[in-house]
């Protein structure tokens, strides 16, 4: 501010916002991120504007998750406050998405799609969530981003469960499992086995369910995860 560096001030405000978000001070975080947005728009800095929109989305997303954890409910069964907070997150992600499309930033589009999928999932809009996660998946594949691909499969599996499409969920969870092994991520591998166990229980294929729950058990023991 002293040297009149507006772009610098915008970035510093954004960083403050992100830090306050991590500290759980969501309302203060929004004020700082909004300042980042306002200055970026005033300066015609499209990249800064996109980043600010994404960050505000993240603050509302984190706030919505934080509020819903205190209530421990299934996706879709939310208080009015949580719903409104997640809808705000979604709106900012949508604005971010249209801007990064304009800028031709595919990686940023991938992130926006993933987060839109997650917010729609929490809101109980499972079909919308699936559409967004499919977009996320194709961009992850485009970039050879295995970790993002793995997350997309997992999220697609979760959303299909709530639509009662257990067989499709099982296919997505198997892909999750395959990739977690490729990535040598045992905790995620265990989680995928657990999801597959539950899905096969829903499909009433109990032999297979037992098989996957045993795999989950073995990894949990290996990791010493009580």
């Amino acid at each position: 501010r002293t040297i009149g560096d507006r772009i610098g001030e915008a970035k510093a405000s954004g960083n403050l916002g992100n830090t306050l978000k991590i500290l759980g001070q969501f309302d203060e975080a929004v004020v700082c991120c909004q300042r980042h947005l306002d200055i970026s728009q005033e300066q015609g800095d499209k990249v800064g504007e996109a980043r600010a929109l994404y960050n505000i989305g993240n603050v509302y997303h984190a706030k919505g998750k934080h509020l819903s954890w205190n209530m421990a409910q299934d996706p879709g069964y939310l208080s009015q406050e949580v719903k409104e907070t997640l809808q705000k997150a979604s709106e900012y992600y949508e604005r971010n998405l249209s801007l990064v499309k304009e800028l031709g930033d595919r990686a940023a589009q991938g992130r926006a799609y993933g987060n839109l999928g997650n917010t729609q999932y929490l809101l109980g809009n499972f079909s919308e969530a699936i559409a967004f996660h499919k977009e996320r998946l194709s961009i992850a594949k485009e970039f050879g981003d295995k970790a993002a691909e793995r997350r997309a499969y997992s999220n697609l599996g979760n959303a299909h469960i709530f639509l009662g499409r257990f067989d499709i969920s099982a296919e997505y969870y198997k892909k999750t499992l395959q990739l977690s092994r490729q990535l040598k991520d045992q905790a995620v591998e265990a989680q995928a086995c657990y999801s597959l166990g539950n899905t096969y229980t829903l499909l009433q294929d109990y032999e297979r369910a037992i098989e996957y729950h045993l795999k989950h058990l073995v990894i949990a023991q290996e990791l010493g995860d009580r």
Side-chain angles (χ1 to χ4, degrees):
R1 279 180 180 159
T2 310
I3 61 172
D5 175 1
R6 294 292 278 168
I7 299 274
E9 185 184 341
K11 281 182 184 163
S13 299
N15 290 337
L16 263 173
N18 291 339
T19 309
L20 287 162
K21 179 196 78 179
I22 293 164
L23 291 169
Q25 291 166 295
F26 303 116
D27 298 337
E28 295 94 321
V30 169
V31 173
C32 293
C33 291
Q34 185 64 50
R35 180 138 191 82
H36 184 193
L37 180 62
D38 294 341
I39 299 172
S40 299
Q41 285 173 332
E42 164 210 304
Q43 296 290 313
D45 173 10
K46 292 283 192 192
V47 173
E49 186 183 340
R51 197 161 292 152
L53 289 166
Y54 182 73
N55 288 342
I56 298 174
N58 283 345
V59 175
Y60 283 119
H61 193 175
K63 184 183 179 179
K65 282 201 284 198
H66 177 77
L67 290 170
S68 65
W69 280 336
N70 302 338
M71 302 167 197
Q73 293 149 323
D74 276 340
Y77 298 94
L78 304 168
S79 74
Q80 199 49 38
E81 188 189 4
V82 174
K83 223 176 248 182
E84 282 167 12
T85 305
L86 289 170
Q87 265 151 1
K88 271 187 189 160
S90 220
E91 280 160 31
Y92 280 101
Y93 288 141
E94 289 274 14
R95 286 172 64 188
N96 165 263
L97 180 61
S98 69
L99 192 49
V100 294
K101 276 182 175 169
E102 201 184 301
L103 294 166
D105 185 343
R106 287 293 278 168
Q109 287 169 44
R111 289 191 290 275
Y113 280 126
N115 283 343
L116 277 163
N118 291 335
T119 47
Q120 290 304 312
Y121 173 81
L122 289 172
L123 284 164
N125 303 330
F126 303 114
S127 300
E128 288 90 333
I130 286 165
F132 286 128
H133 285 309
K134 281 184 172 168
E135 292 286 354
R136 177 66 191 110
L137 179 62
S138 71
I139 294 175
K141 284 178 170 173
E142 207 176 290
F143 280 89
D145 184 343
K146 293 288 183 193
E149 191 182 333
R150 199 271 310 149
R151 285 195 301 275
Y153 283 135
S154 189
N155 289 329
L156 282 162
N158 294 344
H160 279 92
I161 288 281
F162 282 95
L163 291 177
R165 300 182 192 149
F166 307 136
D167 48 342
I168 299 174
S169 288
E171 292 314 307
Y172 281 124
Y173 288 142
K174 279 180 197 165
K175 289 190 159 92
T176 307
L177 181 59
Q178 220 177 334
L179 277 173
S180 65
R181 285 175 178 158
Q182 269 181 39
L183 293 164
K184 299 190 173 28
D185 187 334
Q186 276 198 300
V188 173
E189 185 182 338
Q191 183 61 50
C193 290
Y194 173 77
S195 298
L196 277 161
N198 288 343
T199 307
Y200 279 114
T201 301
L202 292 168
L203 285 165
Q204 299 183 338
D205 184 342
Y206 303 116
E207 290 299 318
R208 257 176 160 171
I210 288 167
E211 197 183 305
Y212 282 112
H213 283 310
L214 283 171
K215 283 178 181 166
H216 177 214
L217 178 63
V218 169
I219 299 172
Q221 287 169 337
E222 268 176 36
L223 295 175
D225 182 343
R226 300 290 286 176

